[in-house]
Structure formats: C-alpha cells, structure tokens
Amino acid sequence: MVLPPFGGGVDTYLHGVGHTPFGRHTARLDTLAIEAFERMHGEAEEALPEPGHVVVSSQFPGEYGGVENAAAAVTDGLGLAGLAATRVESGPSSGLAALEIADALIRSGARDTVLVVGVETMTRLPAAMANQVLARMATLEERKLGLTMAAQVALMTRAYLEEHGIERELLADCAVKAHAHGLQNPLAQFRKAVTRDEVLASGPVADPLRLYDCAPLSDGAVCLLVSREKGPLRLGAMGHATDHLSITHRNHDARTLTSFRATTRAAEEAFGRSGWSVEDIDLIETHDAFSLLEGMNLEDLGLFERGAGVRTVAEGETAVTGKHPTNVGGGLKARGHPVGATGCAQVAELFWQLTGHAEVEARSVERAQGKRPKKALAHNIGGLGNNIHVALLEATA
Amino acid sequence: MTSPHMITVSRCDDGHRTHPVRRDCPACGADMHPVVIEGKGTVITWTRIERPPEGFKTPQLVVLVRLEAEREEKDPPVVLAAVADTTTKVECGNVMLIRDTQERYEAEPL
C-alpha cells in the first residue's frame, strides 16, 4: 500500500522528552505533569522551541485523578496559560493519539511547535474500583459478565495457546524478559528480576493469566516537544485504525481471538505513508499490557509469522541483545502503564535510544548491538484492540 | 419453540450473523435485522475471573461460545456468556446452551 505524503513538505521533529518515574505517586495529575516538563527542560542540551499549543493525553483524569478540564489545568500548571490546550483520548493509546494530533497541527500549518503531555494517576482508587473504570471500555453486555480487560485478554490468551500449541510457560518467559529490561530502567515501576516459577506462582487474575502476566496500575507523566523546526528525531509517519468494540462482532475474522487487525491496518498506513517496511525497523516499542501481547503484536506488525511471536519473544530474540530489540525499557509490563502516558513513554524511550542519550546508558541498544538504532516504531493499543496507533521515528543525525 | 435457550442475534440479507444485535453488518456493512435462534454451541475459549471489578462476586466464569452453524449460513455468531455455577468444569469443545436472563447471557453444559 502506497499512500500520499501529507503536510505539503512540512515535517514534524521531536526535540525533547521528559519522563517521571512510573509507579505510585501521591502528587496530583497537574503536579506530575510539571515534573515531566521540568525534566524535559533539565535534560535538553539546547534551548527548546516555544510551543503554541499543549495537547494533553489523559484517559481518566476525572475518575482517576479528580481533575476535569485537564487541558487547562495542566497547561496553567506548566505556566503556559494563554496557549491553546486540548485533551485527547483514544483509550490506553491516548499517548500516541496526542502525538497524532500534534503532528496534524504542525503539518497543517496551524502551529509551529506543540507540547504533548501524557499523564495519568491510577493508584489512588482501590484496584477493584480501578479495574471497574477500565472495564467501562468494553460493551454493556460484556460488563454485565464482570469482564475486565485482563479477562478479555485471558480469553484471547487461551485461544492463542490452543491454536498454536504453545506451552503456558512461554508466556511466563515473556514476563521474565520484560522484567529483565525493567531492571535496567531507573524510571520503571518494577526494577526487579522475576523467574518463570515466580510468574507461574503469582496470584490468579483471570485464568490462564496471573498477576505477573499483567501490567500494573501506575501513576506517571511524560512530555514530548514536537516542532516543524528540524530536530534530532523525525516523525516518519503515523497510522491509526479502529475495530468493532466487541470481540464478538469480529466473528467474521478467522483470527479474531489471536490477533488485533487494527494493529495491522495502522501499521500498513504508517508504512504506506513513510515508504518504510517492518524490515527497516531497528527498535520497537509495543503495547505489552499482558504477557501474550508482545509476541502477538509483533505478528500483527508483520515481524513474525503467525503463531511464532510468543515463542520467539520467550527465546530472547526481542531482548536488547537480540535480533529484534523490543521494549528495552521494560515495556508496559515492567516500566508501568499509566494509560494516558504510555504512548508518550514509548516515544521517550525511542528518543533516548536513537539519540544515544545518557538516560538509557544501562540499557543502550547501541552498545548491545554494536550500532545505534536509526529507525524505530511505537505501537500503542486502546481498548481490546479497538483503537490502535503506530508511529515511525527516524534519527536525523 | 418454547425452549428457554433461544437468543436474538442480528442477520443481514447476505446471511452474515453476529451477536449482540447491531444495526450494520460487521462483515459487509448491510442493514441487519434481529432473528431468534437456538442458543446452542461450542466453547471456543473461557476464563475464570479471580479479580472481577467492584460489585461482582469472586470468581466469575465466562465462556465464549460459537453457535452451531446452520448449513446455508456464513460464519456463525459467537456469544459471551457467564456460567452461573462457577464450580463447573469447562473445557474448549464443550457443548453449552445459552439463555438470555434479561440481566445477562448465561451458559450451562448440555
């Protein structure tokens, strides 16, 4: 698929990122955003261009953070009152949704520079309440069954294991791999190694998924500064696709239980606009909210054959030292998953890795692979595979 | 038929069916209309939820059932349903009957 470029020759560049630690914070939503913003300015080597618009990604600022009118609250908190400010939401893929809107504002000529702020505070509610809020992403019929996001992915996980004859232990190995990466990330929520046996012995959540198969509830904020002025990373292209809200309405797709076709559609759009293919990608950030997903997503993105994803991840091919380094900051599983900030955290990791930043020294892909990655992909899922973004990024140096 | 195990699904004129009822066909986009069919089919995946959302008892047992295809029809609908007796031993391939309790869809082994 070849798609026309858009933007009339304007390109979007990433100039700087700021990332709070992920985990439990007592700070309010807008205070966390300030910390991310200060970190961004603190680590910038040159003066950053001044934004004309703030795009805030936060999925549940009211339910989780007690803050409504979040775009104005965050923008005022950052000392940027007067600028245009907008909140966007596409489920847990809101972070890349905010980047998509920022990109469109720049390529349209409306703004020269846009600040993206992804922020979420999820740990204030008891877990059962927090999961009830997340479960509202499903249909009413599904919610009446007590289905959580974990339960919906559990249904897919069982189907994947049965269809492809995969041992459940390999899923545990995917979680082990994520934790091994998280150990090298000072900003990660989980900075500890786990073993296969510990994953398999962790508490049951929704059979076959156990606690260590699931990303945690997290607080955190990430800022990204994007501009039409040339910067260290170019946003090659983005892709975006939805699917039916309920998995049962995807019954005409033979792979409905073992893939997210919106991932494939979003990737096709991004590759079609950029002229790149998956073989060009040196580094991937993918939405591994559950242990099935890193492997399954990499199949949907076209990197691995159907049924090979989980086994390939379990065997180490996506480790920082592997052939296809993926989620080297720990992924959602170990870095944490403050839903509105996750897509921005993926982009921040890619920014650091592609620019050889000191922040990622302990997990440097450049050092592990012997050369610095040049092209990268971020993949961010909303809901049960029903609102998905892909972003392609390229180092300009 | 007076069987309690009759459920309403959507069907388009091209023979695609899906559940729950919806206006447009997810396969071809055509208008759909409700039809009542027997809620009998095979478990294709299931989960026992040990950490349900606020307001639900622990555990919850949920099955995804592919309804039996009538010969001339295309891809059969699939239905998500709760198994009320959560001690029920469930495996993929089990045949289940589904009914609409008005509150939710419930499945029980045949």
Side-chain angles (χ1 to χ4, degrees):
Chain A
M1 182 168 66
V2 177
L3 295 167
F6 74 116
V10 175
D11 262 321
T12 299
Y13 296 90
L14 183 58
H15 285 253
V17 304
H19 187 316
T20 70
F22 281 3
R24 282 181 178 273
H25 290 273
T26 52
R28 278 166 52 106
L29 192 89
D30 39 342
T31 312
L32 271 182
I34 293 170
E35 184 185 337
F37 187 64
E38 289 177 345
R39 282 173 174 261
M40 181 178 83
H41 282 286
E43 70 178 58
E45 285 163 11
E46 294 170 22
L48 295 170
E50 294 291 330
H53 201 130
V54 181
V55 180
V56 175
S57 158
S58 193
Q59 192 183 353
F60 305 110
E63 290 282 352
Y64 278 163
V67 174
E68 298 292 5
N69 196 16
V74 166
T75 301
D76 192 25
L78 297 179
L80 298 174
L83 298 188
T86 310
R87 177 169 77 93
V88 303
E89 180 274 313
S90 64
S93 63
S94 297
L96 286 195
L99 183 62
E100 176 188 50
I101 298 305
D103 182 42
L105 286 168
I106 290 167
R107 289 185 200 261
S108 71
R111 309 287 179 201
D112 290 338
T113 300
V114 179
L115 174 68
V116 174
V117 184
V119 59
E120 207 79 51
T121 54
M122 304 172 76
T123 69
R124 237 154 286 189
L125 296 180
M129 282 296 296
N131 285 325
Q132 185 198 54
V133 173
L134 285 168
R136 291 179 200 155
M137 286 191 279
T139 65
L140 194 59
E141 288 85 357
E142 289 161 350
R143 287 158 57 183
K144 285 177 179 174
L145 304 176
L147 277 174
T148 54
M149 289 309 297
Q152 299 219 45
V153 175
L155 294 169
M156 297 183 69
T157 300
R158 184 184 304 285
Y160 183 98
L161 296 179
E162 295 227 347
E163 180 176 330
H164 298 304
I166 304 288
E167 311 85 60
R168 192 264 175 264
E169 287 74 16
L170 295 186
L171 291 175
D173 294 347
C174 296
V176 169
K177 176 255 175 186
H179 275 260
H181 281 171
L183 191 59
Q184 305 301 330
N185 183 355
L187 301 174
Q189 184 159 356
F190 295 131
R191 298 197 64 209
K192 64 167 190 173
V194 298
T195 64
R196 176 193 270 196
D197 288 345
E198 284 171 320
V199 177
L200 296 174
S202 61
V205 172
D207 192 58
L209 298 182
R210 291 180 170 268
L211 189 62
Y212 285 7
D213 290 297
C214 309
L217 297 165
S218 315
D219 309 321
V222 179
C223 287
L224 309 173
L225 193 77
V226 289
S227 175
R228 62 184 292 160
E229 287 180 35
K230 194 168 181 189
L233 247 62
R234 189 177 73 88
L235 183 56
M238 296 193 71
H240 184 181
T242 60
D243 203 343
H244 302 298
L245 193 62
S246 174
I247 201 164
T248 64
H249 286 151
R250 306 175 206 165
N251 62 311
H252 303 287
D253 172 9
R255 298 205 177 280
T256 182
L257 289 174
T258 53
S259 72
F260 288 141
R261 60 187 173 185
T263 293
T264 306
R265 286 176 183 166
E268 282 175 356
E269 184 181 27
F271 287 134
R273 287 198 191 284
S274 63
W276 306 3
S277 72
V278 73
E279 287 79 27
D280 298 326
I281 302 298
D282 304 315
L283 181 60
I284 292 175
E285 280 282 315
T286 189
H287 193 106
D288 63 331
F290 299 95
S291 54
L292 169 70
L293 293 184
E294 180 179 342
M296 193 191 90
N297 295 342
L298 295 176
E299 295 174 21
D300 292 340
L301 290 167
L303 190 65
F304 297 143
E305 296 291 317
R306 290 286 168 202
V310 166
R311 184 176 300 283
T312 310
V313 171
E315 288 171 353
E317 196 166 303
T318 63
V320 66
T321 49
K323 189 175 168 197
H324 298 290
T326 300
N327 289 0
V328 295
L332 284 59
K333 173 70 194 78
R335 180 173 54 221
H337 184 26
V339 282
T342 282
C344 299
Q346 294 177 318
V347 172
E349 178 71 27
L350 298 176
F351 179 85
W352 288 325
Q353 293 286 356
L354 269 57
T355 58
H357 197 280
E359 176 67 37
V360 293
E361 201 176 349
R363 58 183 189 279
S364 166
V365 174
E366 180 174 6
R367 197 182 55 218
Q369 300 280 338
K371 65 171 189 183
R372 189 181 295 179
K374 187 156 171 59
K375 286 184 168 156
L377 179 153
H379 164 252
N380 201 189
I381 300 177
L384 190 72
N386 41 44
N387 205 344
I388 295 184
H389 297 265
V390 168
L392 301 177
L393 295 149
E394 176 180 36
T396 54
Chain B
M1 273 209 277
T2 55
S3 160
H5 299 109
M6 302 300 289
I7 62 171
T8 305
V9 303
S10 287
R11 186 183 187 282
C12 77
D13 287 342
D14 205 24
H16 298 114
R17 296 177 302 170
T18 200
H19 182 272
V21 292
R22 55 180 287 137
R23 287 192 316 171
D24 62 311
C25 176
C28 68
D31 288 348
M32 300 195 100
H33 46 268
V35 292
V36 177
I37 64 172
E38 187 181 22
K40 180 181 174 189
T42 306
V43 174
I44 54 174
T45 186
W46 61 275
T47 186
R48 183 174 273 104
I49 306 167
E50 303 286 354
R51 296 193 182 201
E54 187 74 17
F56 286 85
K57 285 183 191 156
T58 304
Q60 295 288 318
L61 182 55
V62 174
V63 291
L64 184 62
V65 173
R66 180 183 286 127
L67 297 186
E68 286 184 356
E70 291 155 44
R71 223 176 339 194
E72 74 279 15
E73 297 282 359
K74 302 180 178 177
D75 313 318
V78 295
V79 179
L80 277 164
V83 180
D85 177 0
T86 59
T87 64
T88 305
K89 289 254 184 294
V90 174
E91 282 182 36
C92 295
N94 288 165
V95 176
M96 294 228 170
L97 293 172
I98 299 172
R99 65 195 180 101
D100 180 0
T101 70
Q102 303 301 313
E103 272 301 302
R104 61 178 188 172
Y105 293 93
E106 286 190 2
E108 58 186 352
L110 180 64

